[in-house]
Amino acid sequence: TERLRVLLDTGASDIFIRNAEKLGVDLGNVDYVFVSHGHADHAGGLQHFLVKNQRAKVIVSPEALAGTFFSKRLCLHSITPAWPSELDGRTINVGGHACELEEGLRVIARIPSSRPKPQGNQRLYVQDVDGNLAPDDFRHEQALYVDGLLFTGCAHCGLENILEACPWPLHTVVGGFHLLDGCESEDELTALAMRLKAAYPHVRFYTGHCTGDVAFEVLHRVMGNRLFAFSCGESV
């Protein structure tokens, strides 16, 4: 923004740092790191970032930091990131459902579930207090709002739930929609696209990570020039 530089998630490794260098982006100038949820493919690179930047605050859910997460895709495996010790004293925990950290920088947490969540969540788990695996309810997921742009992370809570939880005016939504190919039917995806087009006629949607190619094509047939794919190095 005119005043702030915010890094939205960090990927699984230090690759984003190398990409930033190629793009001429100085990560030392970042003011905030926003971690959308507690999965390693979004938070695994945080330990590398904290070496490059010793001042940025990290916006992360306490449930993400405390959780132990697993996936049963292909085989049971951990998707819990290695949270770095350098986090001590640098985290910002969001209380309530929506708050403003400073002018223009707002976070939506504890996202309600009035609409269905993505079916791809069915193979994702969190370890409970007894050490057993329970379906992840994604209370650790949060969304970021800055100047009309809403960042959804993976939208495990459901894109429509996140949009409904946002009380501020929107012009752009960027992030994953967690619509994995083979999970939602074509009819379900078409219905979702029609609802988005009707409810948010002036909003542009950019998606890539965890939105399948087939799912994107189905959505795009309905949404047309309101839906775009993003890839590495792209500017919005």
Side-chain angles (χ1 to χ4, degrees):
T1 73
E2 293 181 356
R3 299 181 303 104
L4 299 173
R5 293 173 68 88
V6 185
L7 174 64
L8 307 177
D9 284 342
T10 65
S13 67
D14 66 341
I15 289 177
F16 79 98
I17 293 177
R18 288 179 270 155
N19 287 338
E21 291 171 351
K22 292 178 180 179
L23 290 168
V25 175
D26 184 2
L27 294 175
N29 291 333
V30 170
D31 300 297
Y32 291 95
V33 183
F34 174 79
V35 179
S36 63
H37 60 295
H39 288 174
D41 59 334
H42 289 254
L46 184 59
Q47 57 186 318
H48 304 286
F49 171 82
L50 295 181
V51 175
K52 300 280 293 185
N53 183 311
Q54 286 81 46
R55 68 181 187 88
K57 293 291 186 179
V58 181
I59 307 165
V60 60
S61 165
E63 284 88 357
L65 295 173
T68 303
F69 305 102
F70 290 88
S71 171
K72 284 189 176 179
R73 294 195 190 112
L74 300 181
C75 64
L76 180 66
H77 59 282
S78 173
I79 52 174
T80 306
W83 298 106
S85 59
E86 293 87 349
L87 271 176
D88 291 345
R90 295 180 65 172
T91 60
I92 297 175
N93 298 331
V94 176
H97 293 285
C99 75
E100 186 170 50
L101 298 182
E102 60 175 278
E103 184 180 355
L105 184 66
R106 299 166 179 173
V107 177
I108 303 168
R110 298 284 183 165
I111 299 163
S113 298
S114 60
R115 294 181 181 269
K117 293 179 180 178
Q119 295 179 28
N121 287 346
Q122 294 175 5
R123 288 171 287 181
L124 298 173
Y125 297 84
V126 62
Q127 199 169 57
D128 63 22
V129 293
D130 298 318
N132 301 313
L133 296 186
D136 196 340
D137 62 6
F138 290 97
R139 66 181 63 188
H140 56 98
E141 187 172 58
Q142 50 191 15
L144 186 93
Y145 175 94
V146 181
D147 295 343
L149 182 147
L150 181 66
F151 177 67
T152 66
C154 263
H156 286 286
C157 288
L159 180 58
E160 289 179 289
N161 288 321
I162 295 172
L163 288 166
E164 289 181 356
C166 180
W168 309 294
L170 289 172
H171 57 70
T172 305
V173 175
V174 176
F177 295 170
H178 205 65
L179 299 172
L180 306 181
D181 286 344
C183 290
E184 280 76 16
S185 69
E186 183 171 339
D187 287 346
E188 289 171 324
L189 291 169
T190 299
L192 170 62
M194 293 177 68
R195 293 195 301 269
L196 292 174
K197 186 176 180 180
Y200 306 96
H202 305 297
V203 175
R204 295 170 297 171
F205 292 84
Y206 291 81
T207 190
H209 171 72
C210 78
T211 298
D213 294 338
V214 174
F216 180 88
E217 289 303 318
V218 174
L219 295 172
H220 191 263
R221 285 203 294 267
V222 176
M223 299 176 70
N225 63 1
R226 289 295 170 189
L227 179 67
F228 305 87
F230 70 75
S231 58
C232 188
E234 190 163 348
S235 296
V236 176

